[in-house]
Amino acid sequence: CLVYSSAFTVALRQNKGLLGDTGVTPAREVLERHTARWWRRLVQAPTVLWLARDRTRLNRWLDGVAYAGLATAATLLMVPLASPL
């Protein structure tokens, strides 16, 4: 779980610079390359970013994914502490 925590912390710091709206390779451009039907797109590029209505502004989505990952990792770190075993 510590590995996930550090990975999502790094993602939170670097996502916007790499995949953000003005990043090195914007996620918008990557998503625009996939023009097939929704199921095929999801298989080719599995990401929750397909749920974004406005794909020109994905910075908030990238932060949200990183924060969700951090919250999940933190929860998994705390659950064994609450267990009676």
Side-chain angles (χ1 to χ4, degrees), residues 5 7-8 12 14-15 23-24 29 32 41 46 49 52-53 57-58 62 67-68 74 82:
S5 297
F8 283 111
L12 183 62
Q14 294 185 358
N15 273 350
V24 176
E29 292 177 6
E32 286 173 354
R41 284 188 299 194
L49 297 178
R53 291 180 190 222
R57 297 183 184 148
L58 291 175
L62 292 169
Y67 281 124

Side-chain angles (χ1 to χ4, degrees), residues 47-76:
T47 178
V48 295
L49 297 178
W50 289 116
L51 300 174
R53 291 180 190 222
D54 182 13
R55 292 196 188 112
T56 59
R57 297 183 184 148
L58 291 175
N59 282 346
R60 286 186 181 176
W61 277 84
L62 292 169
D63 284 347
V65 169
Y67 281 124
L70 277 171
T72 303
T75 302
L76 291 175

